[in-house]
Amino acid sequence: MLLQDLPTPAFVVNRNAFRENCKAARSIASANGIDRLRPHVKTHKTREGCVIQAGLEDEGEQANCGSFSEVIGFVASTIPELSMLIELACEKHCEPFNDILLGVPISQSKLFAISSLKKKLMSEFKGPSSGAVHVLVDHPDQVDFLHRFIQNETSPNGGESWSVFMKLDTGYHRAGTTCDERGVDLAKAIINSPFLELKGVYSHCGHAYNINDEDEMNHEAEIDLSVIISFLEKLTDRLIHDNNSFDTSSLHISVGSTPSLFSHKNHSDMTNSIEIHPGNYVFFDRQQLWTGACKHERSVASFVLARVIGHYPDKERNSVMVDAGATALTKESTPQGGMCSVFGHPELDCYRMSQEVTMIRQRNDHDDRITRDPFPFEQFPLGSTLLLVPNHSCLAAACFDRYYIVDENCYPFGQNVKVVDEWKPVSGWV
């Protein structure tokens, strides 16, 4: 089957670009002194994507030579993503699928589901290579309800400790505890709980999404890590004052985001291990083309395939219509503006989007900002297909129940490319 034969709209993944993006992340992280990668699965939500992220596509061991960072685990956002990773771990019975961080602050309503999955993982992995499910905490009440749940005799894992990463707000001001005495108090509450093990601290450098200057990005990544180090120093001082022997140098530091992926660097004098947790890097999108994390459109690995369904040569419109709109691409905005872009066609402008359709015209390069060149309708006949680059690929992917896979190393490619596979993402929240 060729792309042009698919029903539209359809979600298309270029496996070759996906694979190269994963290799680049591991290579550049290693060059920056970060030898541990914990990729996020929320962007693609597929078993096949996890295997490629882990560097195990050929069922071999990871290429853990000095030029590549080691994938040591994964981050999931939902219970179905967590379940998918645990199924992979039990099926393949190997790292890194057996070390999973649920990367949103823990909710009491999800504890039974997490506990059940945790028990399934623990039953498969015993001894020195035992698996782990880590939960994210950023409020004292979460410590309290975790404590009560684990202590409860009816809990499937009653009496066992749970591994915790503490979420820190290093400047994005979304989730995370503040890196002051409030955060130190929370860390101490986790450390002092007989049912919890403080495994590490976690930050999301989400404010990097608004930066497209390399020097500024490097500076922001440096600040992100320095805020964490300062917090750990505060925690160490408090523990020493309280005669607590907990060793803060044992804590893992988990940092990053896709736009800041290539800017985080390890300090040579640090004793804590550092890991980085990007997610969108597997697909990239228009946002990451703007931030500079994606250096060229050839690295974009996901698209929405749309079919031309309307020609409007009148002066007022001078445009075509395609059959993919907000329900296939979402209306997520980007700093450069626009609804999406046409892969391989920088001269085109996706200027208007409705629920099921998008309008495309020539970009206006005239000084009067009114005159437009006639649209080349003959290049895009009715029934032909285009590949649209989403503003935010994570959201666009979530609109589809299957991905059509191509494996192309040429740029650009079009509707005559062969479909070589299908991936089915997990979906929902329970």
Side-chain angles (χ1 to χ4, degrees):
M1 181 184 293
L2 304 180
L3 283 183
Q4 65 183 0
D5 300 322
L6 294 176
T8 52
F11 198 77
V12 175
V13 173
N14 182 4
R15 186 168 57 195
N16 182 73
F18 189 114
R19 185 187 302 116
E20 292 304 310
N21 293 341
C22 292
K23 288 180 180 178
R26 294 174 63 203
S27 176
I28 296 176
S30 177
N32 287 341
I34 298 177
D35 59 3
R36 295 162 59 90
L37 201 70
R38 184 186 292 275
H40 214 307
V41 304
K42 70 181 182 65
T43 298
H44 62 87
K45 302 174 183 279
T46 63
R47 293 164 56 93
E48 296 89 345
C50 292
V51 172
I52 297 174
Q53 283 179 301
L56 298 172
E57 189 178 12
D58 297 323
E59 300 298 326
E61 295 185 359
Q62 292 187 50
N64 288 329
C65 58
S67 61
F68 286 96
S69 295
E70 179 186 3
V71 176
I72 51 86
F74 288 91
V75 185
S77 283
T78 66
I79 297 299
E81 291 168 17
L82 177 62
S83 179
M84 173 189 70
L85 283 163
I86 289 175
E87 287 176 6
L88 264 174
C90 295
E91 175 186 309
K92 295 184 176 295
H93 214 271
C94 69
E95 300 173 347
F97 307 107
N98 63 335
D99 194 298
I100 311 154
L101 169 62
L102 192 60
V104 293
I106 188 65
S107 165
Q108 191 168 5
S109 65
K110 294 181 172 66
L111 292 182
F112 277 106
I114 296 168
S115 181
S116 177
L117 290 169
K118 183 173 179 284
K119 183 178 181 181
K120 179 179 179 180
L121 183 65
M122 296 303 106
S123 68
E124 287 288 331
F125 289 84
K126 296 180 174 65
S129 297
S130 62
V133 174
H134 316 281
V135 295
L136 203 63
V137 165
D138 66 357
H139 193 279
D141 286 357
Q142 295 163 337
V143 176
D144 292 340
F145 67 63
L146 274 167
H147 187 102
R148 291 195 301 270
F149 178 82
I150 301 167
Q151 191 177 36
N152 190 333
E153 291 182 354
T154 62
S155 169
N157 291 322
E160 294 183 3
S161 64
W162 282 38
S163 179
V164 171
F165 274 69
M166 196 168 84
K167 180 69 178 285
L168 301 178
D169 177 15
T170 58
Y172 187 37
H173 305 318
R174 189 174 66 179
T177 184
T178 50
C179 297
D180 52 16
E181 293 305 310
R182 182 182 297 136
V184 170
D185 288 341
L186 178 59
K188 277 207 64 184
I190 299 169
I191 291 168
N192 291 334
S193 170
F195 299 112
L196 302 178
E197 176 190 0
L198 183 58
K199 188 73 172 180
V201 291
Y202 183 101
S203 74
H204 176 56
C205 197
H207 35 311
Y209 280 80
N210 295 317
I211 300 171
N212 71 342
D213 176 81
E214 185 176 353
D215 290 339
E216 186 180 354
M217 188 73 77
N218 291 337
H219 178 65
E220 202 62 54
E222 181 70 23
I223 290 175
D224 183 64
L225 188 55
S226 66
V227 170
I228 295 172
I229 294 170
S230 177
F231 170 77
L232 292 179
E233 290 171 349
K234 289 187 182 77
L235 176 58
T236 300
D237 290 343
R238 173 76 78 83
L239 292 170
I240 292 172
H241 179 271
D242 295 344
N243 294 316
N244 190 310
S245 61
F246 183 87
D247 181 10
T248 56
S249 69
S250 67
L251 294 175
H252 300 293
I253 298 175
S254 192
V255 297
S257 62
T258 289
S260 65
L261 168 60
F262 305 121
S263 296
H264 286 280
K265 297 177 176 64
N266 192 0
H267 294 276
S268 59
D269 58 343
M270 288 194 61
T271 55
N272 298 80
S273 64
I274 300 180
E275 62 186 45
I276 193 163
H277 51 249
N280 178 273
Y281 75 104
V282 296
F283 282 168
F284 286 135
D285 49 30
R286 288 190 73 228
Q287 174 92 29
Q288 300 312 324
L289 283 165
W290 181 84
T291 66
C294 182
K295 303 300 184 185
H296 192 278
E297 195 179 49
R298 71 173 68 250
S299 296
V300 174
S302 68
F303 315 89
V304 173
L305 182 74
R307 185 163 270 105
V308 178
I309 59 171
H311 278 189
Y312 306 101
D314 52 277
K315 181 179 178 181
E316 289 75 18
R317 288 174 290 183
N318 186 28
S319 60
V320 298
M321 176 186 286
V322 297
D323 63 352
T327 53
L329 290 147
T330 79
K331 286 191 174 182
E332 181 84 347
S333 62
T334 57
Q336 69 267 48
M339 303 297 177
C340 54
S341 62
V342 182
F343 182 60
H345 290 281
E347 77 281 5
L348 299 183
D349 175 26
C350 301
Y351 71 98
R352 182 178 178 184
M353 181 183 288
S354 301
Q355 180 172 326
E356 302 295 347
V357 299
T358 296
M359 303 294 290
I360 302 173
R361 63 189 179 189
Q362 288 275 83
R363 289 199 178 279
N364 188 349
D365 294 324
H366 294 277
D367 292 337
D368 60 15
R369 311 301 295 172
I370 297 175
T371 305
R372 291 185 187 275
D373 294 331
F375 191 91
F377 293 101
E378 68 283 355
Q379 295 181 33
F380 306 95
L382 290 174
S384 63
T385 57
L386 295 170
L387 290 167
L388 304 179
V389 179
N391 283 352
H392 191 166
S393 58
C394 306
L395 300 187
C399 298
F400 295 86
D401 64 359
R402 70 189 61 204
Y403 308 156
Y404 295 97
I405 310 304
V406 299
D407 205 339
E408 294 297 311
N409 58 13
C410 62
Y411 171 84
F413 58 86
Q415 62 181 6
N416 293 320
V417 164
K418 185 178 180 180
V419 176
V420 298
D421 200 1
E422 287 186 22
W423 297 353
K424 293 187 177 180
V426 297
S427 61
W429 296 270
V430 293

mmCIF file of all heavy atoms in Angstrom, residues 384-424:
data_model
loop_
_atom_site.group_PDB
_atom_site.id
_atom_site.type_symbol
_atom_site.label_atom_id
_atom_site.label_comp_id
_atom_site.label_asym_id
_atom_site.label_seq_id
_atom_site.Cartn_x
_atom_site.Cartn_y
_atom_site.Cartn_z
ATOM 1 N N SER A 384 -5.282 14.502 -4.615
ATOM 2 C CA SER A 384 -3.878 14.287 -4.261
ATOM 3 C C SER A 384 -3.698 14.488 -2.758
ATOM 4 O O SER A 384 -4.560 15.049 -2.079
ATOM 5 C CB SER A 384 -2.972 15.237 -5.043
ATOM 6 O OG SER A 384 -3.250 16.591 -4.703
ATOM 7 N N THR A 385 -2.565 14.015 -2.241
ATOM 8 C CA THR A 385 -2.347 14.081 -0.795
ATOM 9 C C THR A 385 -1.145 14.955 -0.456
ATOM 10 O O THR A 385 -0.213 15.116 -1.254
ATOM 11 C CB THR A 385 -2.122 12.685 -0.192
ATOM 12 O OG1 THR A 385 -1.026 12.057 -0.838
ATOM 13 C CG2 THR A 385 -3.372 11.834 -0.323
ATOM 14 N N LEU A 386 -1.184 15.491 0.757
ATOM 15 C CA LEU A 386 -0.101 16.292 1.318
ATOM 16 C C LEU A 386 0.225 15.764 2.706
ATOM 17 O O LEU A 386 -0.646 15.234 3.410
ATOM 18 C CB LEU A 386 -0.520 17.764 1.443
ATOM 19 C CG LEU A 386 -0.808 18.539 0.160
ATOM 20 C CD1 LEU A 386 -1.430 19.891 0.521
ATOM 21 C CD2 LEU A 386 0.459 18.735 -0.638
ATOM 22 N N LEU A 387 1.468 15.932 3.105
ATOM 23 C CA LEU A 387 1.867 15.630 4.481
ATOM 24 C C LEU A 387 1.950 16.935 5.254
ATOM 25 O O LEU A 387 2.692 17.854 4.881
ATOM 26 C CB LEU A 387 3.222 14.919 4.499
ATOM 27 C CG LEU A 387 3.227 13.484 3.968
ATOM 28 C CD1 LEU A 387 4.660 13.012 3.735
ATOM 29 C CD2 LEU A 387 2.508 12.547 4.938
ATOM 30 N N LEU A 388 1.180 17.024 6.323
ATOM 31 C CA LEU A 388 1.152 18.226 7.155
ATOM 32 C C LEU A 388 1.985 18.012 8.407
ATOM 33 O O LEU A 388 1.893 16.963 9.055
ATOM 34 C CB LEU A 388 -0.288 18.569 7.543
ATOM 35 C CG LEU A 388 -1.269 18.755 6.381
ATOM 36 C CD1 LEU A 388 -2.665 19.072 6.932
ATOM 37 C CD2 LEU A 388 -0.804 19.850 5.431
ATOM 38 N N VAL A 389 2.811 18.984 8.740
ATOM 39 C CA VAL A 389 3.617 18.936 9.956
ATOM 40 C C VAL A 389 2.832 19.612 11.071
ATOM 41 O O VAL A 389 2.527 20.806 10.989
ATOM 42 C CB VAL A 389 4.974 19.645 9.761
ATOM 43 C CG1 VAL A 389 5.793 19.602 11.045
ATOM 44 C CG2 VAL A 389 5.747 19.020 8.608
ATOM 45 N N PRO A 390 2.468 18.880 12.130
ATOM 46 C CA PRO A 390 1.683 19.480 13.214
ATOM 47 C C PRO A 390 2.491 20.522 13.984
ATOM 48 O O PRO A 390 3.722 20.454 14.042
ATOM 49 C CB PRO A 390 1.342 18.286 14.122
ATOM 50 C CG PRO A 390 1.667 17.063 13.328
ATOM 51 C CD PRO A 390 2.743 17.454 12.374
ATOM 52 N N ASN A 391 1.779 21.449 14.600
ATOM 53 C CA ASN A 391 2.440 22.358 15.540
ATOM 54 C C ASN A 391 2.980 21.587 16.734
ATOM 55 O O ASN A 391 4.090 21.831 17.195
ATOM 56 C CB ASN A 391 1.464 23.435 16.013
ATOM 57 C CG ASN A 391 1.248 24.510 14.971
ATOM 58 O OD1 ASN A 391 1.935 24.548 13.946
ATOM 59 N ND2 ASN A 391 0.281 25.387 15.204
ATOM 60 N N HIS A 392 2.173 20.666 17.259
ATOM 61 C CA HIS A 392 2.566 19.868 18.428
ATOM 62 C C HIS A 392 2.232 18.411 18.131
ATOM 63 O O HIS A 392 1.070 18.012 18.166
ATOM 64 C CB HIS A 392 1.827 20.356 19.671
ATOM 65 C CG HIS A 392 2.347 19.785 20.943
ATOM 66 N ND1 HIS A 392 2.016 20.296 22.181
ATOM 67 C CD2 HIS A 392 3.187 18.751 21.194
ATOM 68 C CE1 HIS A 392 2.619 19.598 23.127
ATOM 69 N NE2 HIS A 392 3.337 18.647 22.540
ATOM 70 N N SER A 393 3.252 17.622 17.853
ATOM 71 C CA SER A 393 3.035 16.242 17.414
ATOM 72 C C SER A 393 2.446 15.358 18.508
ATOM 73 O O SER A 393 1.706 14.417 18.207
ATOM 74 C CB SER A 393 4.340 15.635 16.903
ATOM 75 O OG SER A 393 5.348 15.665 17.886
ATOM 76 N N CYS A 394 2.753 15.636 19.774
ATOM 77 C CA CYS A 394 2.193 14.816 20.861
ATOM 78 C C CYS A 394 0.667 14.872 20.840
ATOM 79 O O CYS A 394 -0.004 13.844 20.999
ATOM 80 C CB CYS A 394 2.694 15.308 22.224
ATOM 81 S SG CYS A 394 4.481 15.431 22.396
ATOM 82 N N LEU A 395 0.119 16.059 20.633
ATOM 83 C CA LEU A 395 -1.336 16.224 20.636
ATOM 84 C C LEU A 395 -1.952 15.680 19.355
ATOM 85 O O LEU A 395 -3.022 15.060 19.391
ATOM 86 C CB LEU A 395 -1.692 17.703 20.816
ATOM 87 C CG LEU A 395 -1.196 18.371 22.098
ATOM 88 C CD1 LEU A 395 -1.775 19.771 22.224
ATOM 89 C CD2 LEU A 395 -1.566 17.546 23.325
ATOM 90 N N ALA A 396 -1.295 15.905 18.228
ATOM 91 C CA ALA A 396 -1.831 15.395 16.965
ATOM 92 C C ALA A 396 -1.863 13.869 16.957
ATOM 93 O O ALA A 396 -2.846 13.253 16.526
ATOM 94 C CB ALA A 396 -1.000 15.913 15.796
ATOM 95 N N ALA A 397 -0.798 13.239 17.455
ATOM 96 C CA ALA A 397 -0.752 11.771 17.483
ATOM 97 C C ALA A 397 -1.902 11.197 18.300
ATOM 98 O O ALA A 397 -2.445 10.142 17.958
ATOM 99 C CB ALA A 397 0.590 11.311 18.056
ATOM 100 N N ALA A 398 -2.269 11.889 19.378
ATOM 101 C CA ALA A 398 -3.333 11.401 20.261
ATOM 102 C C ALA A 398 -4.703 11.430 19.602
ATOM 103 O O ALA A 398 -5.668 10.876 20.151
ATOM 104 C CB ALA A 398 -3.357 12.224 21.548
ATOM 105 N N CYS A 399 -4.810 12.048 18.422
ATOM 106 C CA CYS A 399 -6.084 12.077 17.697
ATOM 107 C C CYS A 399 -6.338 10.803 16.908
ATOM 108 O O CYS A 399 -7.428 10.628 16.357
ATOM 109 C CB CYS A 399 -6.112 13.272 16.738
ATOM 110 S SG CYS A 399 -5.998 14.892 17.513
ATOM 111 N N PHE A 400 -5.351 9.896 16.847
ATOM 112 C CA PHE A 400 -5.438 8.740 15.949
ATOM 113 C C PHE A 400 -5.280 7.425 16.709
ATOM 114 O O PHE A 400 -4.557 7.358 17.705
ATOM 115 C CB PHE A 400 -4.364 8.840 14.862
ATOM 116 C CG PHE A 400 -4.557 10.009 13.935
ATOM 117 C CD1 PHE A 400 -4.050 11.263 14.257
ATOM 118 C CD2 PHE A 400 -5.269 9.865 12.756
ATOM 119 C CE1 PHE A 400 -4.235 12.349 13.417
ATOM 120 C CE2 PHE A 400 -5.461 10.944 11.904
ATOM 121 C CZ PHE A 400 -4.945 12.189 12.239
ATOM 122 N N ASP A 401 -5.925 6.377 16.207
ATOM 123 C CA ASP A 401 -5.849 5.067 16.852
ATOM 124 C C ASP A 401 -4.833 4.146 16.187
ATOM 125 O O ASP A 401 -4.647 3.007 16.618
ATOM 126 C CB ASP A 401 -7.220 4.387 16.888
ATOM 127 C CG ASP A 401 -7.772 4.081 15.502
ATOM 128 O OD1 ASP A 401 -7.113 4.407 14.487
ATOM 129 O OD2 ASP A 401 -8.876 3.506 15.429
ATOM 130 N N ARG A 402 -4.166 4.618 15.126
ATOM 131 C CA ARG A 402 -3.103 3.846 14.490
ATOM 132 C C ARG A 402 -2.191 4.790 13.726
ATOM 133 O O ARG A 402 -2.609 5.867 13.297
ATOM 134 C CB ARG A 402 -3.658 2.774 13.564
ATOM 135 C CG ARG A 402 -4.300 3.288 12.289
ATOM 136 C CD ARG A 402 -5.010 2.166 11.563
ATOM 137 N NE ARG A 402 -6.071 1.612 12.412
ATOM 138 C CZ ARG A 402 -6.550 0.384 12.282
ATOM 139 N NH1 ARG A 402 -6.067 -0.422 11.353
ATOM 140 N NH2 ARG A 402 -7.517 -0.044 13.072
ATOM 141 N N TYR A 403 -0.942 4.373 13.586
ATOM 142 C CA TYR A 403 0.028 5.125 12.814
ATOM 143 C C TYR A 403 0.439 4.276 11.612
ATOM 144 O O TYR A 403 0.725 3.080 11.751
ATOM 145 C CB TYR A 403 1.295 5.437 13.630
ATOM 146 C CG TYR A 403 1.085 6.076 14.972
ATOM 147 C CD1 TYR A 403 2.061 5.939 15.965
ATOM 148 C CD2 TYR A 403 -0.046 6.832 15.272
ATOM 149 C CE1 TYR A 403 1.913 6.525 17.205
ATOM 150 C CE2 TYR A 403 -0.213 7.412 16.513
ATOM 151 C CZ TYR A 403 0.771 7.258 17.482
ATOM 152 O OH TYR A 403 0.624 7.830 18.732
ATOM 153 N N TYR A 404 0.506 4.887 10.442
ATOM 154 C CA TYR A 404 1.006 4.212 9.250
ATOM 155 C C TYR A 404 2.499 4.518 9.116
ATOM 156 O O TYR A 404 2.903 5.682 9.140
ATOM 157 C CB TYR A 404 0.226 4.671 8.022
ATOM 158 C CG TYR A 404 -1.226 4.259 8.076
ATOM 159 C CD1 TYR A 404 -2.210 5.134 8.528
ATOM 160 C CD2 TYR A 404 -1.615 2.977 7.693
ATOM 161 C CE1 TYR A 404 -3.538 4.750 8.594
ATOM 162 C CE2 TYR A 404 -2.951 2.580 7.750
ATOM 163 C CZ TYR A 404 -3.904 3.471 8.204
ATOM 164 O OH TYR A 404 -5.219 3.089 8.273
ATOM 165 N N ILE A 405 3.300 3.473 8.978
ATOM 166 C CA ILE A 405 4.749 3.602 9.058
ATOM 167 C C ILE A 405 5.380 3.555 7.672
ATOM 168 O O ILE A 405 5.087 2.660 6.876
ATOM 169 C CB ILE A 405 5.352 2.481 9.936
ATOM 170 C CG1 ILE A 405 4.602 2.379 11.281
ATOM 171 C CG2 ILE A 405 6.839 2.722 10.160
ATOM 172 C CD1 ILE A 405 4.558 3.656 12.088
ATOM 173 N N VAL A 406 6.248 4.534 7.416
ATOM 174 C CA VAL A 406 7.109 4.503 6.237
ATOM 175 C C VAL A 406 8.546 4.462 6.732
ATOM 176 O O VAL A 406 8.819 4.671 7.915
ATOM 177 C CB VAL A 406 6.865 5.722 5.324
ATOM 178 C CG1 VAL A 406 5.435 5.748 4.825
ATOM 179 C CG2 VAL A 406 7.208 7.033 6.038
ATOM 180 N N ASP A 407 9.480 4.192 5.852
ATOM 181 C CA ASP A 407 10.888 4.093 6.263
ATOM 182 C C ASP A 407 11.740 4.757 5.189
ATOM 183 O O ASP A 407 12.370 4.097 4.369
ATOM 184 C CB ASP A 407 11.279 2.623 6.444
ATOM 185 C CG ASP A 407 12.449 2.444 7.397
ATOM 186 O OD1 ASP A 407 13.191 3.414 7.603
ATOM 187 O OD2 ASP A 407 12.616 1.336 7.933
ATOM 188 N N GLU A 408 11.769 6.095 5.218
ATOM 189 C CA GLU A 408 12.377 6.863 4.141
ATOM 190 C C GLU A 408 13.578 7.668 4.624
ATOM 191 O O GLU A 408 13.525 8.308 5.684
ATOM 192 C CB GLU A 408 11.346 7.833 3.547
ATOM 193 C CG GLU A 408 10.195 7.143 2.847
ATOM 194 C CD GLU A 408 10.666 6.333 1.651
ATOM 195 O OE1 GLU A 408 11.427 6.881 0.822
ATOM 196 O OE2 GLU A 408 10.271 5.154 1.535
ATOM 197 N N ASN A 409 14.660 7.641 3.846
ATOM 198 C CA ASN A 409 15.811 8.480 4.167
ATOM 199 C C ASN A 409 16.001 9.607 3.162
ATOM 200 O O ASN A 409 16.995 10.331 3.209
ATOM 201 C CB ASN A 409 17.097 7.643 4.247
ATOM 202 C CG ASN A 409 17.386 6.890 2.956
ATOM 203 O OD1 ASN A 409 16.768 7.175 1.925
ATOM 204 N ND2 ASN A 409 18.307 5.948 3.019
ATOM 205 N N CYS A 410 15.064 9.756 2.222
ATOM 206 C CA CYS A 410 15.135 10.864 1.272
ATOM 207 C C CYS A 410 14.277 12.024 1.778
ATOM 208 O O CYS A 410 13.392 11.841 2.609
ATOM 209 C CB CYS A 410 14.660 10.425 -0.108
ATOM 210 S SG CYS A 410 12.933 9.897 -0.157
ATOM 211 N N TYR A 411 14.573 13.221 1.287
ATOM 212 C CA TYR A 411 13.810 14.396 1.679
ATOM 213 C C TYR A 411 13.596 15.277 0.456
ATOM 214 O O TYR A 411 14.535 15.552 -0.277
ATOM 215 C CB TYR A 411 14.537 15.192 2.757
ATOM 216 C CG TYR A 411 13.883 16.536 3.027
ATOM 217 C CD1 TYR A 411 12.802 16.623 3.899
ATOM 218 C CD2 TYR A 411 14.325 17.699 2.387
ATOM 219 C CE1 TYR A 411 12.184 17.847 4.124
ATOM 220 C CE2 TYR A 411 13.704 18.910 2.608
ATOM 221 C CZ TYR A 411 12.636 18.985 3.474
ATOM 222 O OH TYR A 411 12.006 20.184 3.698
ATOM 223 N N PRO A 412 12.359 15.786 0.274
ATOM 224 C CA PRO A 412 11.148 15.308 0.962
ATOM 225 C C PRO A 412 10.627 14.068 0.252
ATOM 226 O O PRO A 412 11.071 13.746 -0.848
ATOM 227 C CB PRO A 412 10.193 16.484 0.783
ATOM 228 C CG PRO A 412 10.594 17.080 -0.536
ATOM 229 C CD PRO A 412 12.091 16.912 -0.637
ATOM 230 N N PHE A 413 9.697 13.380 0.873
ATOM 231 C CA PHE A 413 9.036 12.262 0.207
ATOM 232 C C PHE A 413 7.556 12.584 0.089
ATOM 233 O O PHE A 413 7.027 13.434 0.803
ATOM 234 C CB PHE A 413 9.267 10.948 0.949
ATOM 235 C CG PHE A 413 8.799 10.941 2.382
ATOM 236 C CD1 PHE A 413 7.491 10.632 2.713
ATOM 237 C CD2 PHE A 413 9.685 11.247 3.405
ATOM 238 C CE1 PHE A 413 7.061 10.621 4.023
ATOM 239 C CE2 PHE A 413 9.270 11.244 4.742
ATOM 240 C CZ PHE A 413 7.953 10.935 5.039
ATOM 241 N N GLY A 414 6.889 11.898 -0.823
ATOM 242 C CA GLY A 414 5.505 12.239 -1.104
ATOM 243 C C GLY A 414 4.569 11.056 -1.078
ATOM 244 O O GLY A 414 4.822 10.044 -0.419
ATOM 245 N N GLN A 415 3.499 11.157 -1.871
ATOM 246 C CA GLN A 415 2.382 10.222 -1.747
ATOM 247 C C GLN A 415 2.654 8.849 -2.346
ATOM 248 O O GLN A 415 1.887 7.918 -2.122
ATOM 249 C CB GLN A 415 1.139 10.825 -2.378
ATOM 250 C CG GLN A 415 1.253 11.106 -3.866
ATOM 251 C CD GLN A 415 -0.018 11.730 -4.412
ATOM 252 O OE1 GLN A 415 -0.952 12.052 -3.688
ATOM 253 N NE2 GLN A 415 -0.077 11.884 -5.734
ATOM 254 N N ASN A 416 3.758 8.683 -3.078
ATOM 255 C CA ASN A 416 4.051 7.393 -3.700
ATOM 256 C C ASN A 416 4.942 6.503 -2.842
ATOM 257 O O ASN A 416 5.438 5.472 -3.308
ATOM 258 C CB ASN A 416 4.701 7.613 -5.071
ATOM 259 C CG ASN A 416 3.738 8.237 -6.061
ATOM 260 O OD1 ASN A 416 2.557 7.885 -6.096
ATOM 261 N ND2 ASN A 416 4.231 9.181 -6.849
ATOM 262 N N VAL A 417 5.146 6.881 -1.591
ATOM 263 C CA VAL A 417 5.973 6.114 -0.673
ATOM 264 C C VAL A 417 5.177 4.912 -0.151
ATOM 265 O O VAL A 417 3.976 5.002 0.112
ATOM 266 C CB VAL A 417 6.451 7.013 0.485
ATOM 267 C CG1 VAL A 417 6.985 6.186 1.644
ATOM 268 C CG2 VAL A 417 7.509 7.972 -0.012
ATOM 269 N N LYS A 418 5.876 3.789 0.047
ATOM 270 C CA LYS A 418 5.235 2.556 0.504
ATOM 271 C C LYS A 418 5.030 2.550 2.014
ATOM 272 O O LYS A 418 5.917 2.934 2.781
ATOM 273 C CB LYS A 418 6.089 1.355 0.096
ATOM 274 C CG LYS A 418 5.464 0.004 0.424
ATOM 275 C CD LYS A 418 6.349 -1.140 -0.052
ATOM 276 C CE LYS A 418 5.730 -2.494 0.282
ATOM 277 N NZ LYS A 418 6.586 -3.618 -0.171
ATOM 278 N N VAL A 419 3.871 2.110 2.448
ATOM 279 C CA VAL A 419 3.589 1.894 3.873
ATOM 280 C C VAL A 419 4.133 0.522 4.254
ATOM 281 O O VAL A 419 3.774 -0.485 3.639
ATOM 282 C CB VAL A 419 2.073 1.968 4.163
ATOM 283 C CG1 VAL A 419 1.792 1.648 5.631
ATOM 284 C CG2 VAL A 419 1.540 3.351 3.804
ATOM 285 N N VAL A 420 5.004 0.462 5.270
ATOM 286 C CA VAL A 420 5.677 -0.796 5.606
ATOM 287 C C VAL A 420 5.169 -1.434 6.900
ATOM 288 O O VAL A 420 5.496 -2.598 7.190
ATOM 289 C CB VAL A 420 7.202 -0.583 5.707
ATOM 290 C CG1 VAL A 420 7.763 -0.132 4.365
ATOM 291 C CG2 VAL A 420 7.554 0.413 6.805
ATOM 292 N N ASP A 421 4.383 -0.697 7.688
ATOM 293 C CA ASP A 421 3.929 -1.266 8.964
ATOM 294 C C ASP A 421 2.815 -0.397 9.523
ATOM 295 O O ASP A 421 2.541 0.704 9.016
ATOM 296 C CB ASP A 421 5.105 -1.321 9.946
ATOM 297 C CG ASP A 421 4.889 -2.311 11.096
ATOM 298 O OD1 ASP A 421 3.827 -2.966 11.124
ATOM 299 O OD2 ASP A 421 5.775 -2.407 11.964
ATOM 300 N N GLU A 422 2.186 -0.900 10.581
ATOM 301 C CA GLU A 422 1.223 -0.117 11.355
ATOM 302 C C GLU A 422 1.562 -0.250 12.837
ATOM 303 O O GLU A 422 1.900 -1.352 13.298
ATOM 304 C CB GLU A 422 -0.216 -0.607 11.137
ATOM 305 C CG GLU A 422 -0.806 -0.263 9.799
ATOM 306 C CD GLU A 422 -2.282 -0.657 9.706
ATOM 307 O OE1 GLU A 422 -2.935 -0.791 10.779
ATOM 308 O OE2 GLU A 422 -2.780 -0.838 8.581
ATOM 309 N N TRP A 423 1.517 0.841 13.563
ATOM 310 C CA TRP A 423 1.661 0.825 15.021
ATOM 311 C C TRP A 423 0.345 1.257 15.643
ATOM 312 O O TRP A 423 -0.312 2.166 15.120
ATOM 313 C CB TRP A 423 2.758 1.793 15.474
ATOM 314 C CG TRP A 423 4.149 1.496 15.012
ATOM 315 C CD1 TRP A 423 4.591 0.390 14.334
ATOM 316 C CD2 TRP A 423 5.299 2.327 15.205
ATOM 317 N NE1 TRP A 423 5.930 0.478 14.091
ATOM 318 C CE2 TRP A 423 6.404 1.657 14.615
ATOM 319 C CE3 TRP A 423 5.515 3.562 15.823
ATOM 320 C CZ2 TRP A 423 7.698 2.212 14.618
ATOM 321 C CZ3 TRP A 423 6.790 4.109 15.821
ATOM 322 C CH2 TRP A 423 7.867 3.430 15.237
ATOM 323 N N LYS A 424 -0.014 0.630 16.739
ATOM 324 C CA LYS A 424 -1.246 0.996 17.430
ATOM 325 C C LYS A 424 -0.892 1.545 18.813
ATOM 326 O O LYS A 424 -0.443 0.797 19.681
ATOM 327 C CB LYS A 424 -2.186 -0.193 17.531
ATOM 328 C CG LYS A 424 -2.713 -0.624 16.168
ATOM 329 C CD LYS A 424 -3.784 -1.696 16.274
ATOM 330 C CE LYS A 424 -4.322 -2.044 14.896
ATOM 331 N NZ LYS A 424 -5.375 -3.103 14.952
#
